[in-house]
Amino acid sequence: MAVIDNSQLSLCQKKFDGLRVGYAFAKRKSSSSLKVKSVSRINMALATDVSRFEGVTMAPPDPILGVSEAFKADTNDLKLNLGVGAYRTEDLQPYVLNVVKKAENMMLEKGENKEYLPIEGLAAFNKATVELLLGADNDATKQGRVATVQGLSGTGSLRLAAAFIQRYFPGVQVLISSPTWGNHKNIFNDAGVPWSEYRYYDPKTVGLDFEGMIADIKAAPSGSFVLLHGCAHNPTGIDPTPEQWEKIADVIQEKDLTAFFDVAYQGFASGSLDEDASSVRLFVARGMEVFVAQSYSKNLGLYAERIGAINVVCSSSDAAIRVKSQLKRLARPMYSNPPVHGAQIVANVVGNPTLFDEWKSEMELMSGRIKGVRQRLYDNLSAKDKTGKDWSFVLRQIGMFSFTGLNKAQSENMSNKWHIYMTKDGRISLAGLSLSKCEYLADAIVDSYYNVS
Ligand code: PLA
């Protein structure tokens, strides 16, 4: 039987940073395999066994990922998860792209190893990702003006850029759209970057409040960053037109602001990778410096691989080299270096002309299926709703989501009564909907819209 004495106990106390924990440790051990010689000093000091974490409050469930947890807990057969933006097949099953499987086979055949990547990530991935974003022979890339660092998908890439902004532009604010993807605020809050909102969605027209957006961007202090969704705005599904993008670029340029693009859905808005990058390419073609966070969660279905990148397009290659060095410096103490598997998949798909073409067809298939359910949902809503309400906004919105206009109580009715899980802001992910469930969904929406205030 092991014996511990007072000196070992005091070590325990130091190690666990506090008398109470030291005591709890000794007490636990003594009841199993350890015999405590003398604990009188500690006994006197502490009569109760209180957790160090009494002050830690319960965090609320995440507004998006928490929806999946609630969905899992529901045992009703009718249940439908339209919360998270994750693509499902018509049978509502997760989908691994064929090109991903082929790329993984290639990796196995090659016998890829699991060595650490450099801090900036896999070179072949970084080359492929910037080319996918800006086009194969973009001037900025050719001139070495883009600092690209592989990130932990879109979120990690945004977070790294936020840390960079906090370090080099302390106190400078980021303007974000109202509404926006829920995690944007968390990302900037945790990085210590102040943010404010610009108008974006107009509930009256169920469209873009372009005048409001421009006015708010114009009013921003010069030097601010403006977060823009490159395509398929989340949660509204409403994007500016090409002409409106030109005007947005004008204002950002005139007011000496910097655009920060979040490109999480390249290929998913229009079905074309190039078209969906046109907003970013427009800014870069004007010689503007921009941040661009990329994600391969949706377009390659690599949700759990956590693969993406942060690109900083600079006006000189010298600036790009320095910016990259600082991004690496920020990444090193946070996660050291990024994971290799997803990076190799992307590099293999984008870098191989046959797989690249196959990817484009699979993406068209995925975005085509979403367009199909959009149409079916609209048809069902129009047929079920006898009031003549115009539901055509469902057709005009693009990408994975539809912003239904349902409020919090109505959204709650959707899950409580109909077992349809969605975010409380009224967003539904059409990527999680099948043609056969559209009628049921339309019934639920019409009921919630008219019978819940
Ligand atoms: N940016 C936007 C606009 C997003 O919608 C998402 C994901 C991300 C970045 C980050 O995705 P990634 O880190 O996986 O690359 N939004 C999802 C999932 C699909 C989520 O909330 O994390 C959503 O349901 O809104």
Side-chain angles (χ1 to χ4, degrees):
M1 184 182 286
V3 173
I4 60 170
D5 60 25
N6 268 343
S7 67
Q8 282 168 306
L9 270 174
S10 89
L11 254 180
C12 291
Q13 286 162 14
K14 274 190 199 137
K15 197 166 171 191
F16 286 88
D17 184 31
L19 208 55
R20 284 199 295 245
V21 178
Y23 171 62
F25 178 77
K27 216 173 95 179
R28 235 183 4 255
K29 293 280 188 189
S30 70
S31 64
S32 56
S33 60
L34 298 176
K35 185 175 167 228
V36 180
K37 263 194 200 160
S38 164
V39 290
S40 57
R41 190 167 59 84
I42 295 157
N43 276 341
M44 269 196 318
L46 283 163
T48 51
D49 199 2
V50 181
S51 166
R52 190 92 196 273
F53 307 113
E54 283 306 308
V56 178
T57 57
M58 190 66 192
D62 182 79
I64 298 176
L65 299 185
V67 173
S68 300
E69 290 169 30
F71 169 80
K72 271 189 201 136
D74 189 332
T75 51
N76 194 294
D77 285 344
L78 292 168
K79 70 176 180 173
L80 197 53
N81 187 3
L82 307 182
V84 69
Y87 182 82
R88 298 278 181 272
T89 60
E90 183 57 28
D91 305 327
L92 300 184
Q93 294 307 308
Y95 178 58
V96 180
L97 275 76
N98 289 326
V99 284
V100 167
K101 290 182 191 157
K102 288 185 182 172
E104 284 178 326
N105 281 336
M106 282 164 63
M107 286 151 62
L108 269 180
E109 276 162 21
K110 252 170 119 181
E112 297 281 12
N113 63 47
K114 302 288 181 194
E115 290 277 297
Y116 285 135
L117 283 182
I119 305 172
E120 71 259 42
L122 186 74
F125 165 80
N126 287 356
K127 183 176 179 293
T129 200
V130 73
E131 281 182 10
L132 192 79
L133 180 68
L134 300 181
D137 46 24
N138 186 275
D139 280 347
T141 323
K142 281 196 286 195
Q143 293 157 5
R145 293 194 283 111
V146 192
T148 300
V149 170
Q150 185 186 328
L152 305 180
S153 208
T155 308
S157 305
L158 287 160
R159 183 65 177 79
L160 190 60
F164 179 87
I165 290 173
Q166 195 278 333
R167 182 159 293 178
Y168 283 93
F169 307 93
V172 175
Q173 64 163 352
V174 175
L175 270 82
I176 55 181
S177 63
S178 174
T180 192
W181 176 48
N183 215 18
H184 280 148
K185 292 178 184 173
N186 299 333
I187 289 170
F188 293 113
N189 282 343
D190 280 11
V193 175
W195 53 265
S196 64
E197 294 182 307
Y198 60 84
R199 279 167 282 173
Y200 192 84
Y201 175 69
D202 183 353
K204 285 197 285 305
T205 60
V206 200
L208 179 63
D209 178 1
F210 187 63
E211 306 300 314
M213 177 184 188
I214 291 292
D216 290 347
I217 295 176
K218 262 189 186 158
S222 102
S224 302
F225 296 89
V226 185
L227 190 81
L228 299 160
H229 298 223
C231 64
H233 183 273
N234 178 6
T236 66
I238 300 159
D239 283 354
T241 62
E243 297 72 38
Q244 288 172 331
W245 275 120
E246 292 281 359
K247 292 215 175 86
I248 296 165
D250 286 344
V251 177
I252 289 183
Q253 216 160 12
E254 279 158 24
K255 297 288 300 188
D256 209 10
L257 309 169
T258 302
F260 182 166
F261 283 96
D262 181 357
V263 179
Y265 299 93
Q266 191 179 350
F268 247 106
S270 65
S272 150
L273 286 162
D274 288 323
E275 211 175 309
D276 286 357
S278 57
S279 55
V280 174
R281 292 181 189 178
L282 163 87
F283 280 60
V284 174
R286 286 182 177 216
M288 295 165 79
E289 296 192 307
V290 294
F291 284 82
V292 192
Q294 287 174 283
S295 164
Y296 290 92
S297 291
K298 272 71 71 172
N299 54 14
L300 260 175
L302 295 176
Y303 307 92
E305 295 295 352
R306 313 310 296 144
I307 178 67
I310 182 71
N311 304 271
V312 190
V313 181
C314 305
S315 54
S316 70
S317 63
D318 179 56
I321 291 166
R322 284 181 280 110
V323 167
K324 186 168 173 174
S325 75
Q326 292 297 345
L327 288 171
K328 287 164 62 177
R329 188 186 192 184
L330 285 160
R332 172 67 169 144
M334 279 205 265
Y335 56 87
S336 190
N337 50 76
V340 72
H341 192 79
Q344 282 167 342
I345 296 172
V346 176
N348 279 326
V349 172
V350 179
N352 175 313
T354 316
L355 288 193
F356 189 56
D357 283 345
E358 271 185 58
W359 178 34
K360 287 199 262 187
S361 335
E362 275 193 282
M363 210 153 30
E364 274 164 26
L365 203 123
M366 290 192 288
S367 61
R369 198 188 81 71
I370 295 173
K371 282 181 193 145
V373 289
R374 229 179 236 296
Q375 182 66 51
R376 178 73 65 90
L377 177 62
Y378 166 77
D379 293 344
N380 281 305
L381 281 169
S382 305
K384 302 261 170 193
D385 185 348
K386 306 293 180 211
T387 69
K389 177 180 157 61
D390 180 9
W391 291 92
S392 62
F393 63 86
V394 173
L395 294 178
R396 286 195 303 276
Q397 295 167 342
I398 56 169
M400 281 192 161
F401 302 108
S402 179
F403 206 46
T404 59
L406 294 180
N407 63 28
K408 188 166 178 273
Q410 293 164 338
S411 305
E412 275 164 2
N413 185 61
M414 294 284 286
S415 42
N416 295 344
K417 179 172 169 187
W418 295 86
H419 307 276
I420 296 174
Y421 291 83
M422 57 188 285
T423 53
K424 301 278 181 285
D425 58 0
R427 184 191 88 169
I428 51 174
S429 167
L430 298 180
L433 179 64
S434 61
L435 288 171
S436 62
K437 295 272 186 178
C438 283
E439 188 176 355
Y440 180 70
L441 175 60
D443 280 331
I445 292 177
V446 170
D447 171 57
S448 306
Y449 188 76
Y450 290 107
N451 300 329
V452 180
S453 59

